[in-house]
């Protein structure tokens, strides 16, 4: 499930948010959130993904499936995003986590 974590990290960075802030807003333990984002969580519960997606204002479908889907909810793309919705794929291919 590390693809999910890569997408979560990318969306968080696009919003210029810190891990501890997202974890707190999503009502998750900081260590649990870190494990999800780093791909170390053996399983991720749907309610956790829903809360993370809500905090990041992105599509839960995109978090799970990725691909060419638009990650952002309508009208929620961050102003600082300059590389389009596929920027997360470039990051994943460069091995950054």
């Amino acid at each position: 499930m590390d693809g999910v974590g890569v997408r979560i990290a990318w969306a968080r960075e696009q919003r210029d948010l810190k891990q501890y802030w997202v974890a707190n807003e999503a009502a998750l333990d900081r260590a649990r959130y870190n494990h999800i984002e780093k791909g170390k969580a053996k399983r991720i519960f749907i309610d956790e993904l829903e809360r993370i997606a809500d905090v990041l204002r992105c599509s839960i479908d995109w978090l799970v499936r990725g691909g060419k889907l638009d990650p952002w909810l309508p009208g929620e793309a961050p102003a600082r995003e300059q590389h389009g919705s596929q920027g997360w794929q470039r990051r994943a291919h460069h091995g950054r986590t």
Side-chain angles (χ1 to χ4, degrees), residues 10 62 67-72 81 83-89:
W10 181 83
W62 176 79
K68 295 186 179 187
L69 299 171
D70 185 356
W72 309 116
E81 182 182 27
H83 301 293
S85 62
Q86 299 307 306
W88 72 271
Q89 288 179 329

Side-chain angles (χ1 to χ4, degrees), residues 44-94:
I44 305 171
F45 298 100
I46 191 69
D47 66 309
E48 293 172 326
L49 282 175
E50 287 174 339
R51 294 193 312 260
I52 291 168
D54 186 51
V55 170
L56 297 175
R57 305 301 301 148
C58 67
S59 160
I60 193 169
D61 194 32
W62 176 79
L63 286 180
V64 173
R65 298 187 326 168
K68 295 186 179 187
L69 299 171
D70 185 356
W72 309 116
L73 297 176
E76 294 292 339
R80 65 179 278 214
E81 182 182 27
Q82 298 174 2
H83 301 293
S85 62
Q86 299 307 306
W88 72 271
Q89 288 179 329
R90 285 189 289 280
R91 176 178 178 215
H93 290 299
H94 290 266

Side-chain angles (χ1 to χ4, degrees), residues 26-56:
L28 290 170
D29 178 75
R30 286 172 62 179
R32 172 69 179 155
Y33 178 83
N34 182 272
H35 277 104
I36 291 170
E37 193 173 288
K38 298 292 183 191
K40 296 179 181 177
K42 293 186 180 193
R43 64 179 61 98
I44 305 171
F45 298 100
I46 191 69
D47 66 309
E48 293 172 326
L49 282 175
E50 287 174 339
R51 294 193 312 260
I52 291 168
D54 186 51
V55 170
L56 297 175

Side-chain angles (χ1 to χ4, degrees), residues 8-24:
I8 290 171
W10 181 83
R12 177 182 58 78
E13 290 168 358
Q14 292 300 303
R15 297 253 184 239
D16 201 24
L17 301 172
K18 302 291 184 191
Q19 277 189 351
Y20 72 86
W21 189 88
V22 175
N24 185 59

